[in-house]
Amino acid sequence: MANIARRALFRGAAATVSAVAGSAALGAVTAAPAVADEVVGEGQDAMGARTTAPTGATITPNDPRYAQLTTGNNQRYVAAPSYVKMIKSAPDAAAAITAAYRAGKRVSVRSGGHCFSNFVCNPDVQVILDCSEMTYVGYDPAMRAFAVEPGARLLNVYEALYKGWGVTLPGGVCYGVGAGGHIAGGGYGLLSRRNGLVVDHLYAVEVVTVDASGTARIVRATREPNDPNRDLWWAHTGGGGGNFGVVTRYWLRSPNAPGGSAATPENQLVSPPSHVLMHIQGIPWSQLDEAKFSRLVKNFGAWHEANSAPNSPLRNLSSILNVYSKASGMLNLVTQVDAGVPDAAAMLDTYLNQILDGVTTARAASRKLPWLQPPASSAPSTPRSTTPRCAGPTSRRTCAPTSRTRSSPRCTRR
């Protein structure tokens, strides 16, 4: 396994691991798959979801919900599928894949957050499988891991994990992103320099696949070395795109989490800082020429190259340089530091001096905030222009110019 390149696996394994891709063309497939009754792999469901097996609605073009569900945040992309199938459980997904497979339909899969590309909504898609109603977040003692369904938004994931157990994932700062695509794509955010990617903490994945015999199966794959489905788990540690089937559940547990009698939910994932220092430095395009812009980018890259070691004391500082179009009026630098580490304020000042050297002498004020608050406050106040507002926890389709926003405009994963 260690000698298999991920790219090679993507080329060859999709045919044997899953004949149904997140956006795979199924028109050439004529055989109708069966649906396996059993769950293949680790851990039969400890939370009873499989016994209830709820079924979601099928939304056709004459349904008033159809128009809303066939486009996304970026409304330049519109699909015209035969129907949108809302997915509420793994068996529901298996039945939906069977129906699409039997009809030779091209499918796409939506976790329920947002995506500014046309991966889900495009003219070639004939069926959209929408997992946005699968929003469960909780602890699964049988798996000794936190279960997260694909439709859960990052805000809901963070709040459930932190308020319930004081833990978190090092995911993105845009609250409207759906867990499904974010985790499969790797998942990263302002805690990633300290705690790695989200998939570094991925213990297991539940995927509905169609195997080489044409059977739709609910497969559970873990990172355990002796798991016969381990390659399928590995394929979801940054692959993205739903290439290997429809993910219906993730389980998250840190690699170094204690087991045995020492295992409690509170120490199975990382704990976030209690408070952070948050700094947002807006830089108007009108104050930048080519030389200053080049200097800014070089400063930013050089600092991160010099301080990239995993044991660096500066791992507690994370920063994102958002380069918006000139029409937006400015670009900005968002920086977060764990307020509890020694000399946190000095660390932040030194960083800003190095990054902004030769670019600007202006300095915005820093704020000390509770950890869970900054992602909602990290978007800059910019002129009313082309900056998209990320969908909030209850509004997934907003993509309008705005001068005030609750969420960061840095949202590229669905």
Side-chain angles (χ1 to χ4, degrees), residues 158-186:
Y158 297 152
E159 287 192 334
L161 294 178
Y162 189 62
K163 293 178 179 179
W165 298 275
V167 298
T168 193
L169 295 168
V173 297
C174 189
Y175 279 171
V177 169
H182 188 64
I183 296 174

Side-chain angles (χ1 to χ4, degrees), residues 173-344:
V173 297
C174 189
Y175 279 171
V177 169
H182 188 64
I183 296 174
Y188 70 94
L190 290 175
L191 292 179
S192 289
R193 277 174 50 80
R194 188 184 79 165
N195 298 121
L197 302 177
V198 173
V199 287
D200 292 328
H201 307 270
L202 180 62
Y203 174 71
V205 61
E206 180 180 79
V207 193
V208 180
T209 73
V210 176
D211 65 19
S213 70
T215 301
R217 295 181 181 275
I218 302 166
V219 182
R220 290 188 174 180
T222 75
R223 66 174 177 233
E224 298 295 341
N226 61 348
D227 187 340
N229 298 315
R230 190 176 190 275
D231 282 1
L232 184 58
W233 161 82
W234 178 82
H236 287 84
T237 58
N243 300 31
F244 298 94
V246 179
V247 175
T248 51
R249 187 171 295 174
Y250 296 100
W251 284 268
L252 290 306
R253 183 211 302 164
S254 296
N256 59 350
S261 60
T264 63
E266 292 78 8
N267 59 19
Q268 299 302 292
L269 280 177
V270 297
S271 297
S274 174
H275 288 77
V276 297
L277 298 180
M278 175 62 64
H279 184 276
I280 303 175
Q281 182 72 46
I283 307 173
W285 277 110
S286 59
Q287 297 178 12
L288 292 173
D289 54 22
E290 183 176 348
K292 288 185 176 181
F293 177 74
S294 297
R295 181 72 175 268
L296 174 63
V297 173
K298 289 179 180 178
N299 288 350
F300 186 81
W303 187 93
H304 283 84
E305 181 181 7
N307 298 285
S308 61
N311 60 349
S312 168
L314 296 174
R315 68 187 183 279
N316 294 293
L317 182 151
S318 290
S319 188
I320 301 173
L321 178 60
N322 296 306
V323 181
Y324 306 124
S325 68
K326 284 191 174 182
S328 69
M330 67 172 63
L331 49 75
N332 77 336
L333 182 72
V334 178
T335 308
Q336 174 182 291
V337 183
D338 181 347
V341 301
D343 302 318

Side-chain angles (χ1 to χ4, degrees), residues 71-224:
T71 188
N73 293 73
N74 191 340
Q75 295 181 30
R76 78 179 73 177
Y77 301 125
V78 180
S82 301
Y83 57 90
V84 177
K85 177 63 175 73
M86 305 302 296
I87 305 298
K88 285 193 171 183
S89 64
D92 193 19
I97 290 173
T98 298
Y101 193 110
R102 178 178 294 123
K105 299 290 188 180
R106 182 185 178 101
V107 305
S108 66
V109 183
R110 175 166 51 209
S111 65
H114 69 247
C115 179
F116 289 105
S117 298
N118 66 343
F119 300 138
V120 172
C121 297
N122 65 73
D124 295 329
V125 170
Q126 296 168 303
V127 174
I128 296 176
L129 305 180
D130 189 314
C131 300
S132 61
E133 293 186 286
M134 298 186 69
T135 59
Y136 177 83
V137 180
Y139 186 70
D140 183 349
M143 297 288 276
R144 194 165 60 84
F146 289 91
V148 176
E149 289 186 336
R153 308 291 184 87
L154 293 188
L155 172 63
N156 306 108
V157 174
Y158 297 152
E159 287 192 334
L161 294 178
Y162 189 62
K163 293 178 179 179
W165 298 275
V167 298
T168 193
L169 295 168
V173 297
C174 189
Y175 279 171
V177 169
H182 188 64
I183 296 174
Y188 70 94
L190 290 175
L191 292 179
S192 289
R193 277 174 50 80
R194 188 184 79 165
N195 298 121
L197 302 177
V198 173
V199 287
D200 292 328
H201 307 270
L202 180 62
Y203 174 71
V205 61
E206 180 180 79
V207 193
V208 180
T209 73
V210 176
D211 65 19
S213 70
T215 301
R217 295 181 181 275
I218 302 166
V219 182
R220 290 188 174 180
T222 75
R223 66 174 177 233
E224 298 295 341

